[in-house]
């Protein structure tokens, strides 16, 4: 199978463990050519860890080493801080890999930058080289609900988690850039739910990778228990749609045809990280419903096949 697209993964892989599940799933997907993995920062002490890009890289390398891909894919870090001004990018090796890949002229494969955390790196890349806007699609897990589409969850925070990592970067991408955006807001990234029973039967015991991911979740549950956060018997794997919307696009007329979206005008992101209507905003995709059957069955089956191939 030949790759149909290039993908740069930009995720806070040292935080919520769903990012490591997404990373593993993407690396097991032969239809994408992974052109770089950005282990981005998140909040200080995010999810009980240091929140730094260096720590995120350490966690990513554990997955990469299990798959034996340490000589095949490169992991890049950022400066472990967020933007403080919409005109001042934070340059790093992570930012430069986005620019370099977007500006290539030797390939016709479409480029997707898939982001499961803050938007610091893609915003900085755009500020340094605005021409990348017409050369890639940004798939972003983040942003609160649109009030005309969905109701926020009980006890919600007005500032959505990923957007809050870097509000200034979100302002660059939504307010100022013309980058093509496929957005998966909070009401949608809450849809990919795996039960603990599925984790025990379909992930644990499925080779070295399955056991590692199971132990990652076990450690996460230990932290959540200490913080007295009752999780029930399920977990939200909100970053995994990054795989569904890229690697698992339809065969003919490639597109995420089994998931639904609406076209909206890109809102203005204000200083509080909230949407304001922008009647002059460019059109963006806002996903509404995800094909979780395909998403999880493909992930579980690839774990099994990985063991067979070994």
């Amino acid at each position: 199978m030949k790759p149909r697209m290039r993908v740069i993964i930009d995720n806070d892989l040292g935080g919520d463990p769903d990012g490591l599940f997404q990373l593993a799933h993407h690396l097991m997907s032969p239809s994408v050519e992974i052109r770089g993995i950005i282990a981005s920062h998140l909040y200080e002490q995010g999810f009980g860890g240091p929140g730094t890009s260096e720590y995120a890289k350490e966690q990513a390398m554990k997955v990469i080493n299990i798959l034996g891909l340490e000589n095949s894919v490169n992991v890049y870090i950022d400066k472990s801080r967020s933007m403080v001004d919409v005109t001042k990018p934070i340059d790093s090796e992570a930012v430069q890999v986005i620019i370099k890949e977007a500006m290539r002229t030797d390939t016709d494969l479409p480029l997707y930058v898939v982001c499961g955390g803050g938007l610091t790196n893609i915003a900085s890349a755009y500020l340094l080289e605005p021409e990348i806007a017409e050369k890639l699609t940004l798939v972003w897990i983040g942003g609160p609900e649109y009030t005309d589409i969905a109701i926020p969850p009980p006890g919600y925070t007005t500032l959505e988690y990923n957007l809050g990592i870097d509000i200034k970067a979100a302002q660059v991408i939504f307010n100022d850039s013309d980058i093509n955006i496929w957005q998966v807001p909070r009401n949608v990234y809450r849809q990919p739910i795996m039960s603990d029973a599925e984790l025990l039967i379909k992930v644990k015991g499925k080779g070295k990778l399955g056991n590692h991911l199971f132990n990652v979740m076990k450690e996460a549950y230990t932290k959540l228990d200490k913080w007295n956060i009752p999780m029930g018997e399920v977990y939200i794997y909100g970053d995994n749609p990054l795989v569904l919307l890229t690697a698992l696009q339809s065969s003919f007329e490639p597109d995420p045809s089994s998931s639904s979206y609406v076209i909206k005008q890109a809102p203005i992101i204000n200083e509080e990280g909230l949407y304001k209507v922008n009647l002059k905003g460019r059109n963006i995709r806002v996903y509404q419903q995800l094909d979780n059957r395909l998403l999880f069955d493909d992930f579980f089956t690839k774990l099994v096949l990985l063991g067979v191939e070994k």
Side-chain angles (χ1 to χ4, degrees):
M1 185 182 297
K2 294 182 179 179
R4 298 197 298 173
M5 64 191 68
R6 295 171 291 150
V7 168
I8 293 176
I9 297 169
D10 183 346
N11 209 342
D12 51 353
L13 300 167
D16 189 334
D18 62 339
L20 295 176
F21 279 71
Q22 172 265 316
L23 174 63
H25 196 176
H26 251 135
L27 290 173
M28 292 189 291
S29 300
S31 64
V32 298
E33 181 182 341
I34 305 296
R35 296 299 303 167
I37 298 165
I38 297 171
S40 60
H41 70 284
L42 67 161
Y43 301 93
E44 186 177 347
Q45 297 301 315
F47 213 86
T52 64
S53 183
E54 290 81 4
Y55 178 74
K57 180 175 180 178
E58 291 175 11
Q59 305 314 303
M61 289 306 303
K62 293 176 183 178
V63 171
I64 291 167
N65 289 335
I66 288 171
L67 289 168
L69 297 175
E70 59 273 16
N71 296 320
S72 303
V73 294
N74 294 316
V75 182
Y76 303 91
I77 59 173
D78 62 26
K79 294 292 178 62
S80 293
R81 64 179 188 269
S82 299
M83 295 174 61
V84 296
D85 189 309
V86 294
T87 66
K88 296 180 180 178
I90 300 176
D91 200 2
S92 65
E93 62 176 6
V95 170
Q96 288 301 316
V97 75
I98 295 173
I99 295 173
K100 180 179 179 181
E101 191 61 36
M103 298 303 291
R104 284 177 60 187
T105 59
D106 61 338
T107 177
D108 293 326
L109 288 180
L111 174 62
Y112 292 84
V113 176
V114 300
C115 185
L119 293 169
T120 308
N121 299 310
I122 182 67
S124 296
Y126 169 77
L127 289 172
L128 289 168
E129 181 50 82
E131 285 188 29
I132 69 169
E134 61 187 39
K135 300 178 183 296
L136 60 83
T137 296
L138 169 65
V139 187
W140 182 46
I141 307 291
E145 300 75 13
Y146 289 86
T147 55
D148 59 331
I149 295 177
I151 299 172
Y156 73 98
T157 58
T158 54
L159 180 59
E160 186 274 328
Y161 186 88
N162 283 349
L163 196 157
I165 293 173
D166 195 332
I167 295 176
K168 295 298 184 186
Q171 290 178 319
V172 171
I173 295 299
F174 279 81
N175 303 358
D176 302 329
S177 86
D178 52 352
I179 289 175
N180 185 32
I181 302 174
W182 294 2
Q183 183 185 7
V184 182
R186 179 169 55 191
N187 60 296
V188 183
Y189 73 63
R190 284 167 50 83
Q191 294 174 15
I193 294 175
M194 186 195 309
S195 74
D196 293 347
E198 290 176 302
L199 187 69
L200 281 165
I201 298 301
K202 297 184 177 181
V203 179
K204 183 182 181 182
K206 298 302 182 289
K208 193 172 181 179
L209 179 59
N211 285 332
H212 174 70
L213 294 174
F214 174 81
N215 288 329
V216 164
M217 283 307 306
K218 185 176 179 180
E219 181 180 347
Y221 274 120
T222 300
K223 292 178 182 178
L224 292 163
D225 188 53
K226 289 181 179 178
W227 298 334
N228 197 30
I229 301 176
M231 300 301 294
E233 57 183 273
V234 301
Y235 199 84
I236 297 171
Y237 293 80
D239 286 345
N240 285 63
L242 296 176
V243 184
L244 177 69
L245 301 181
T246 54
L248 302 181
Q249 292 185 14
S250 56
S251 49
F252 297 102
E253 296 85 36
D255 199 55
S257 60
S258 59
S259 298
S260 63
Y261 63 88
V262 295
I263 298 295
K264 290 188 68 68
Q265 288 180 299
I268 293 289
I269 305 293
N270 68 17
E271 293 298 320
E272 289 72 45
L274 304 178
Y275 302 138
K276 290 180 62 178
V277 174
N278 180 15
L279 298 179
K280 296 182 179 180
R282 69 196 184 282
N283 287 338
I284 64 173
R285 285 191 187 191
V286 178
Y287 274 86
Q288 288 187 295
Q289 193 70 40
L290 301 170
D291 184 351
N292 288 319
R293 196 285 309 168
L294 175 60
L295 174 62
F296 284 115
D297 280 358
D298 184 75
F299 174 70
F300 295 143
T301 306
K302 280 174 177 168
L303 277 180
V304 173
L305 288 174
L306 185 69
V308 172
E309 292 169 359
K310 294 293 184 181

